[in-house]
Amino acid sequence: MATNTPSHSQVSSNPSKGMNKRRRGRTEELGIEEERDRIEGERDRKARTKQRAKELGDSIRDASIDWGSYGIDFLASTVGERELYDFLQRLEKVSTFAKTRADTTARLLSSLRQNPNKLDILTTVRSELSNLLQDDVYPLTDAKSLEDALGKPFRVPLLHRVTASHPSLAPTTNFGIQELLKHLAEDKGASISVYDYSIPDPAKRTRQTTVHEFRSCFRSGNTCRTALNFLDIENHIKIQFCPSPIILQDVTTKLDALIQHDKGKTGSEWRAERPKEFFLAAKRNAISTIHIDTGSMVTWVLILEGRKIWYFPRHVNSRTVRWLALVGSQTPENYEGGWVKVELRPGDLLIMPPSFPHAVFTPDDCLAVGGQFYMAGHLGRSIEGLRLQEDYPDISNENLDDSVYSTLARILNNCSPVMTSLEKSQIASNQSLFPNRSGLATYDGHSKESLIDILKSLGVTTPSRAKKDELLELLKLNSTQVTCTPRGEFLDAFWKLFDEFMADSTSAGDCSDSSPV
């Protein structure tokens, strides 16, 4: 029987075909693996691109500031109301919402993401980069950024706005207008200051009222006859709203920490003293004209309910304050760079440098809380601002209280451990603003006008037609008596710090000038 036996050539060719087949198999496998790797790499690249796009989008949303709308047209029936209404219209004409470099950059990136043309992108970047000027406000994101910002002097206000990723820096609470009304219900006869701009005479618009009127004004369904601004209601509730970085940067807090006492609970005489806080309650359309806060301190304000529109000059220095003194609180024109405005909503925090002119409009019923403190890095500016308020008392909506001088005297007498040499030099540079009483014997050569200025700086009112000899007698008399006043204590502390600092500076200079033999 015949069998199908393969030839020699057929047998010898089989291994080659098998090897080729195996090679093709391995090549196909390698190709599949490479394709799989390519696909996975592409997937990873797209995932990373998507993640970067998300992070960019989140950063743009975080840095972008969306200001709310509000109306400035309201019924003004009395002379005072029309006067304030006209002021607000003029202020709005010279004001723009605050800009920051982060916000400008975020808006630029947002527009570039929508433009695929590279030439257009480069043209836009070149154009917009020239517009990245100074920040109108310093944006804060969290407690750490607040702590860092307070660690050095700041020229523009610090602003923290509540967003989905940036919660309020204050304690989480639902305390608002109705909760304050309940708190005050037990003391209906207590006195509260209120600014009532329906009163024609501006000098009489700040009047005293009762808690009863305050509560009736904010009672649900009740409409006040005018927009009232209730000022400086002391915070006596158990909630402390001030963020802790502010408390820790208060110079008085630092001085308290230096006091030697028993740190343990047993036998300790330590008593915790809460920083003073004040509620500010305002009806819709209430207006505060241009002013600085008294005492030349750093001011913080936190919104609890409602909104406020906060206005301030774009560039602020001592000339700005003198211009305010010259033209008055209702003239917003001719400030260098115009005015900046920010919208403050519930949870938002604003911190202003000392002697910082500002005006406020309340578009909705609002409750805010705030306070003041002295900061080491701003103390030189605070003392300069104090002198400006002494010279021009009308720039503030409050009179200087003796407690301001007492607090500053305590700080200046004890500040060496908590202040740098640079910060002391900024205080000492104000020496020309305050006369040194130890040099009164040399005042015989001063002019009559100069003597009047010196007496004014000592808080002494001079007769309108006083002779030079009479002014010298007043000066000699008050130079010994003024030491007993809080202002006198402040002046003594100021000159003591000045003398010690200059002596130390001279000694340090002598040491640096000497060279080894």
Side-chain angles (χ1 to χ4, degrees):
M1 184 174 64
T3 59
N4 189 13
T5 303
S7 67
H8 176 73
S9 62
Q10 288 177 324
V11 172
S12 62
S13 66
N14 284 341
S16 176
K17 289 183 178 180
M19 290 176 62
N20 290 337
K21 185 175 182 181
R22 285 193 295 272
R23 285 197 195 99
R24 285 196 300 271
R26 284 196 298 271
T27 302
E28 290 175 358
E29 289 176 1
L30 288 173
I32 293 172
E33 289 178 2
E34 289 176 355
E35 180 66 12
R36 186 185 300 116
D37 290 342
R38 187 190 66 78
I39 293 173
E40 290 179 356
E42 182 69 15
R43 186 184 298 116
D44 290 342
R45 187 187 66 79
K46 289 182 178 179
R48 289 194 299 270
T49 301
K50 185 176 181 180
Q51 179 62 28
R52 288 201 302 270
K54 180 181 182 303
E55 292 173 354
L56 177 61
D58 291 342
S59 67
I60 290 174
R61 283 190 294 274
D62 286 345
S64 299
I65 303 177
D66 295 320
W67 306 109
S69 60
Y70 59 94
I72 59 172
D73 292 319
F74 53 87
L75 180 64
S77 55
T78 68
V79 172
E81 289 171 346
R82 288 193 294 271
E83 179 184 308
L84 271 292
Y85 175 86
D86 176 67
F87 162 75
L88 181 62
Q89 307 300 313
R90 289 159 50 212
L91 178 60
E92 276 288 326
K93 289 180 180 179
V94 294
S95 301
T96 57
F97 274 120
K99 294 181 180 179
T100 67
R101 282 170 288 188
D103 175 52
T104 304
T105 302
R107 295 182 187 280
L108 173 60
L109 291 174
S110 180
S111 64
L112 295 180
R113 292 177 72 196
Q114 303 169 11
N115 191 343
N117 189 304
K118 293 182 179 180
L119 181 60
D120 287 346
I121 291 175
L122 292 174
T123 303
T124 302
V125 169
R126 181 181 178 183
S127 172
E128 291 295 330
L129 284 179
S130 63
N131 296 324
L132 295 179
L133 304 176
Q134 65 177 22
D135 290 324
D136 289 331
V137 292
Y138 186 92
L140 305 172
T141 55
D142 51 24
K144 181 62 169 62
S145 67
L146 172 58
E147 179 183 344
D148 293 341
L150 292 176
K152 54 187 179 295
F154 48 93
R155 186 188 53 78
V156 298
L158 312 180
L159 175 65
H160 179 269
R161 298 196 91 214
V162 173
T163 65
S165 55
H166 299 147
S168 177
L169 300 180
T172 302
T173 174
N174 292 323
F175 193 90
I177 294 174
Q178 293 306 313
E179 285 69 30
L180 180 61
L181 295 181
K182 294 175 183 177
H183 170 71
L184 297 174
E186 299 177 359
D187 197 2
K188 298 179 181 179
S191 178
I192 294 179
S193 295
V194 60
Y195 187 84
D196 184 350
Y197 62 79
S198 67
I199 299 174
D201 186 354
K204 297 180 180 179
R205 285 178 184 157
T206 299
R207 60 179 176 86
Q208 293 299 113
T209 186
T210 62
V211 168
H212 176 74
E213 180 184 0
F214 170 72
R215 295 183 71 245
S216 64
C217 189
F218 282 97
R219 189 174 294 123
S220 179
N222 185 39
T223 303
C224 289
R225 57 186 176 86
T226 190
L228 300 178
N229 221 348
F230 295 89
L231 310 171
D232 298 340
I233 304 170
E234 293 182 354
N235 176 13
H236 291 303
I237 66 174
K238 295 181 179 180
I239 303 173
Q240 187 81 16
F241 294 95
C242 183
S244 58
I246 293 177
I247 298 174
L248 295 176
Q249 281 297 331
D250 188 335
V251 178
T252 59
T253 301
K254 296 182 178 181
L255 294 180
D256 288 340
L258 296 176
I259 298 175
Q260 297 297 319
H261 49 61
D262 189 347
K263 304 292 185 181
K265 180 177 180 181
T266 304
S268 173
E269 297 180 356
W270 173 75
R271 296 290 183 272
E273 183 176 344
R274 290 173 47 179
K276 289 186 177 180
E277 297 182 354
F278 299 92
F279 292 115
L280 306 168
K283 291 295 292 181
R284 180 183 179 187
N285 297 328
I287 298 170
S288 293
T289 54
I290 309 168
H291 65 282
I292 66 169
D293 291 334
T294 190
S296 194
M297 307 182 203
V298 178
T299 298
W300 65 272
V301 61
L302 174 78
I303 305 300
L304 298 177
E305 180 180 340
R307 292 187 299 160
K308 283 189 179 293
I309 308 300
W310 214 271
Y311 304 82
F312 50 88
R314 179 162 275 107
H315 304 293
V316 175
N317 50 42
S318 59
R319 292 192 306 274
T320 314
V321 180
R322 289 190 176 92
W323 177 247
L324 167 60
L326 179 65
V327 299
S329 65
Q330 296 184 30
T331 304
E333 292 82 10
N334 297 316
Y335 281 81
E336 182 184 358
W339 286 72
V340 177
K341 60 182 178 179
V342 296
E343 176 205 21
L344 300 179
R345 303 170 301 185
D348 290 353
L349 173 72
L350 183 76
I351 305 175
M352 295 186 297
S355 300
F356 203 77
H358 59 283
V360 185
F361 173 59
T362 306
D364 311 310
D365 287 358
C366 181
L367 177 65
V369 64
Q372 295 178 284
F373 65 104
Y374 285 113
M375 209 177 101
H378 274 306
L379 209 51
R381 180 172 177 175
S382 289
I383 291 176
E384 180 186 13
L386 176 69
R387 191 71 181 93
L388 286 169
Q389 189 177 350
E390 289 181 339
D391 288 342
Y392 310 108
D394 289 342
I395 62 177
S396 177
N397 55 359
E398 296 180 64
N399 295 325
L400 273 170
D401 191 83
D402 282 346
S403 62
V404 170
Y405 294 113
S406 298
T407 300
L408 282 172
R410 181 199 170 204
I411 291 173
L412 296 179
N413 279 324
N414 302 281
C415 67
S416 288
V418 298
M419 294 190 69
T420 66
S421 179
L422 175 61
E423 290 164 348
K424 292 177 188 176
S425 73
Q426 293 168 347
I427 296 174
S429 67
N430 290 302
Q431 56 87 19
S432 63
L433 302 178
F434 302 98
N436 188 346
R437 289 188 300 280
S438 63
L440 288 174
T442 65
Y443 287 162
D444 289 345
H446 281 60
S447 66
K448 179 179 175 181
E449 291 73 18
S450 177
L451 292 174
I452 291 174
D453 288 340
I454 294 170
L455 284 165
K456 182 180 178 182
S457 73
L458 295 172
V460 179
T461 304
T462 58
S464 58
R465 296 186 178 182
K467 297 179 180 179
K468 181 176 178 179
D469 290 343
E470 294 172 335
L471 294 175
L472 284 169
E473 285 299 319
L474 276 174
L475 188 56
K476 292 175 182 177
L477 175 64
N478 285 279
S479 67
T480 57
Q481 294 179 348
V482 74
T483 308
C484 302
T485 67
R487 188 178 188 278
E489 294 172 358
F490 157 71
L491 290 175
D492 285 343
F494 174 83
W495 282 106
K496 176 173 173 281
L497 181 143
F498 176 84
D499 292 339
E500 291 176 352
F501 176 76
M502 294 307 295
D504 291 343
S505 298
T506 302
S507 175
D510 292 341
C511 293
S512 63
D513 289 340
S514 62
S515 56
V517 178

